[in-house]
Amino acid sequence: MLEIRNLSYVTPEGKVILDDINLTVKNRFTAVTGPNGSGKSTLARVIAGIINPTTGSIILDGEDITGMSITERARNGVSFAFQQPVRFKGITVRDIISIAAGRELSLDEACEYLSEVGLCARDYIDREINESLSGGELKRIEIATAFARSTRLTLFDEPEAGIDLWSFQSLIKVFERMYEKTNGSIIIISHQERILSFAEEIILLSAGKIAAVGGKDKIMPLLMDGELKYECSRRA
């Protein structure tokens, strides 16, 4: 279970990005949505330890991880998948999946993770994670890496980006299998209605504050109003 208490983030220039966020995340699949600039990605980065909060605390399964570095949080079971995956020149796909799994994977094991995300495994397993891979390929490899790591808390920042040739249903099945493997929580930053509809709970952010929390029956109608309607339709 993840608890966020009185969490705020203010930039060095004085701009308030997150304003006194209080949340309890205990479901398998939680989605965070809202218009551009609402603080969604910042919240995910603060939880992961990429950004330090200005005030507040983050509690994971009863342990205060607020003061932990991103490396310490990773060791304590927190994973983060970027909206734009990072390239690693000189590191192969098999290398990165093995690093994520914490051991040297056999060829068949590494290929199995790639197959989970719709890639023809033997075409990718020995390729470097560099400019030769498209954004969509990198995204799928990153999701496979998160699956291999399978931590108790995994954060995805817009995992649907760049996977237009791969069905959303396949993506959701990967999330389901991740949960079966870890019994942990998955937090997804997304605008996509299909992903929001799949979530057990949706957190709606607006201007750095929590506008609403609830299931799709409560939240989806709110997304059809004003700026939120424009943002969601533009991203669809």
Side-chain angles (χ1 to χ4, degrees):
M1 182 171 69
L2 177 70
E3 297 175 79
I4 298 173
R5 302 173 182 171
N6 305 114
L7 191 73
S8 296
Y9 175 69
V10 182
T11 68
E13 296 75 29
K15 183 178 180 180
V16 178
I17 305 297
L18 299 175
D19 188 3
D20 197 30
I21 300 290
N22 286 278
L23 283 173
T24 299
V25 177
K26 54 186 177 182
N27 296 295
R28 294 180 302 167
F29 309 110
T30 299
V32 180
T33 194
N36 276 349
S38 60
K40 305 180 302 298
S41 292
T42 299
L43 176 61
R45 289 167 181 257
V46 168
I47 294 170
I50 299 169
I51 299 173
N52 294 322
T54 304
T55 60
S57 57
I58 304 166
I59 313 296
L60 180 61
D61 293 337
E63 181 180 12
D64 191 335
I65 64 172
T66 313
M68 291 184 182
S69 67
I70 185 172
T71 301
E72 291 170 326
R73 293 188 204 198
R75 290 172 180 161
N76 278 270
V78 179
S79 295
F80 181 83
F82 291 88
Q83 182 178 349
Q84 298 295 329
V86 179
R87 300 175 191 269
F88 299 95
K89 188 176 181 180
I91 297 179
T92 68
V93 172
R94 184 176 181 178
D95 290 337
I96 200 70
I97 295 177
S98 291
I99 291 169
R103 62 186 177 86
E104 186 66 31
L105 297 177
S106 69
L107 179 63
D108 287 343
E109 287 175 317
C111 286
E112 185 176 343
Y113 285 114
L114 290 174
S115 296
E116 288 280 1
V117 297
L119 291 177
C120 182
R122 294 183 185 276
D123 291 342
Y124 288 89
I125 199 69
D126 293 321
R127 291 182 63 178
E128 288 190 17
I129 304 174
N130 57 24
E131 292 77 10
S132 69
L133 294 169
S134 70
E137 289 170 329
L138 284 170
K139 175 62 72 172
R140 295 197 199 192
I141 290 166
E142 184 180 51
I143 294 171
T145 301
F147 190 11
R149 190 152 191 268
S150 292
T151 50
R152 52 181 169 157
L153 175 63
T154 306
L155 301 118
F156 287 96
D157 193 356
E158 299 198 25
E160 70 273 16
I163 57 168
D164 51 307
L165 298 180
W166 185 42
S167 74
F168 278 86
Q169 193 60 41
S170 296
L171 178 62
I172 288 169
K173 286 179 179 177
V174 170
F175 292 150
E176 289 173 339
R177 286 191 286 270
M178 282 182 64
Y179 174 75
E180 291 169 1
K181 184 176 179 181
T182 66
N183 199 34
S185 295
I186 298 172
I187 298 177
I188 306 168
I189 310 298
S190 182
H191 292 278
Q192 270 290 344
E193 183 177 347
R194 282 169 286 189
I195 287 183
L196 298 181
S197 297
F198 154 75
E200 294 170 307
E201 186 171 71
I202 303 171
I203 298 164
L204 176 60
L205 292 184
S206 181
K209 293 180 176 288
I210 297 176
V213 178
K216 63 180 181 181
D217 292 343
K218 175 181 177 180
I219 303 300
M220 296 306 287
L222 299 177
L223 296 174
M224 296 300 105
D225 293 330
E227 181 183 359
L228 294 180
K229 179 178 180 180
Y230 167 76
E231 181 62 28
C232 287
S233 62
R234 190 173 67 86
R235 291 284 186 132

